[in-house]
């Protein structure tokens, strides 16, 4: 066999091996990212649905670019999100050396009214059982048999709940505020209420667990 042919076969084998390593890189990256995210934000299931190629070099350095992650059952400070899609220009593992400041990330999330109801039930005083229902364009909340309807909007970093029928003090007792100033590093672009669920688009400066830091600080997670 000629040296040229041997070199060609060796090159083909190296290429095939590189392709196999690259194909295996996404499942590995999924486990690395899932483990890092889970340090700060509990979830039920996470999957990388898109990532910039090649993955392998960045994975070795604890970096992945242009990542889209879908998570089910993500827990944000005790509130369960039914579905979350994260768009991350740069995801960083805790072991990433010389990690830069991560760019802004975008979250598209779906929240069920029954999960909000469970969240409030753990926080409402006197053992009261709040009722929460999402309807097209409206939020219905109360403590049976009292129930009121409200609209929700976001303007200039302030989430406003406009209730009808009850004074704001009652809403505070239900665990809600008439106006909630959002953290500076969390910006809500859109909120839409439908039957049984709410959808929103949120921009954040830090996604705890995959920002390259060892801690769990950020608007989505309590400091560890």
């Amino acid at each position: 066999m000629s040296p040229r042919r041997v070199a060609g076969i060796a090159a083909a084998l190296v290429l095939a091996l590189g392709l196999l390593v690259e194909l295996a890189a996404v499942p590995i990256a999924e486990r690395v990212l899932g483990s890092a995210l889970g340090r700060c934000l509990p979830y039920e299931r996470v999957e990388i649905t898109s990532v910039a190629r090649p993955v392998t070099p960045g994975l070795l350095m604890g970096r992945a670019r242009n990542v889209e992650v879908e998570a089910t059952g993500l827990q944000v400070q005790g509130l369960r999100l039914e579905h979350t899609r994260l768009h991350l220009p740069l995801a960083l593992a805790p072991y990433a050396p010389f990690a830069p400041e991560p760019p802004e990330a975008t979250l598209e999330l779906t929240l069920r009214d029954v999960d909000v109801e469970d969240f409030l039930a753990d926080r409402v005083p006197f053992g009261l059982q709040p009722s929460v229902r999402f309807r097209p364009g409206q939020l219905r909340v109360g403590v049976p048999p009292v129930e009121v309807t409200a609209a929700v909007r976001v303007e200039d970093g302030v989430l406003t709940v406009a209730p009808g029928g009850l004074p704001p003090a009652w809403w505070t007792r239900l665990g809600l505020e008439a106006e909630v100033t959002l953290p500076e590093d969390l910006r809500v672009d859109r909120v839409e209420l439908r039957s049984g669920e709410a959808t929103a688009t949120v921009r954040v400066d830090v996604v705890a667990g995959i920002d390259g830091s060892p801690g769990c600080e950020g608007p989505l997670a309590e400091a560890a």
Side-chain angles (χ1 to χ4, degrees):
M1 186 178 294
S2 66
R4 180 175 296 180
R5 188 171 182 180
V6 171
I9 293 174
L13 289 174
V14 170
L15 178 60
L17 181 60
L19 290 174
L20 288 174
V21 170
E22 182 65 16
L23 288 173
V26 171
I28 294 173
E30 200 167 87
R31 288 194 291 272
V32 170
L33 186 144
S35 177
L37 183 66
R39 291 186 304 112
C40 304
L41 299 171
Y43 63 86
E44 296 165 9
R45 182 175 177 271
V46 68
E47 177 185 4
I48 294 178
T49 55
S50 179
V51 62
R53 300 283 188 171
V55 179
T56 307
L59 183 60
L60 294 174
M61 298 297 293
R63 292 164 167 80
R65 297 188 178 278
N66 297 326
V67 184
E68 183 176 280
V69 181
E70 293 194 10
T72 302
L74 193 70
Q75 295 278 341
V76 176
Q77 297 191 20
L79 177 62
R80 181 184 184 275
L81 305 181
E82 173 66 15
H83 181 265
T84 307
R85 179 181 290 113
L86 292 81
H87 302 270
L88 303 160
L90 178 63
L92 298 166
Y95 63 83
F98 310 108
E101 288 291 329
E104 179 183 79
T106 302
L107 288 76
E108 299 173 7
L109 58 90
T110 300
L111 174 66
R112 301 188 306 171
D113 52 14
V114 292
D115 291 322
V116 176
E117 195 171 79
D118 291 341
F119 175 79
L120 292 178
D122 292 336
R123 289 159 176 79
V124 173
F126 312 120
L128 299 175
Q129 295 297 317
S131 171
V132 178
R133 293 293 178 266
F134 293 150
R135 297 290 183 265
Q138 293 182 333
L139 164 67
R140 299 177 68 180
V141 64
V143 176
V146 180
E147 186 176 72
V148 295
T149 300
V152 178
R153 67 178 184 272
V154 177
E155 293 181 357
D156 299 327
V158 177
L159 177 66
T160 302
V161 180
L166 287 179
W170 276 76
W171 285 73
T172 301
R173 293 175 185 174
L174 293 172
L176 297 172
E177 299 289 345
E179 289 189 350
V180 179
T181 301
L182 302 175
E184 293 183 357
D185 47 3
L186 185 153
R187 295 162 293 282
V188 180
D189 291 333
R190 177 189 62 86
V191 175
E192 181 180 352
L193 299 180
R194 301 197 292 263
S195 294
E197 65 180 29
T199 60
T201 301
V202 180
R203 290 175 292 128
V204 293
D205 292 336
V206 175
V207 179
I210 50 178
D211 61 341
S213 68
C216 292
E217 297 182 3
L220 303 182
E222 298 176 355

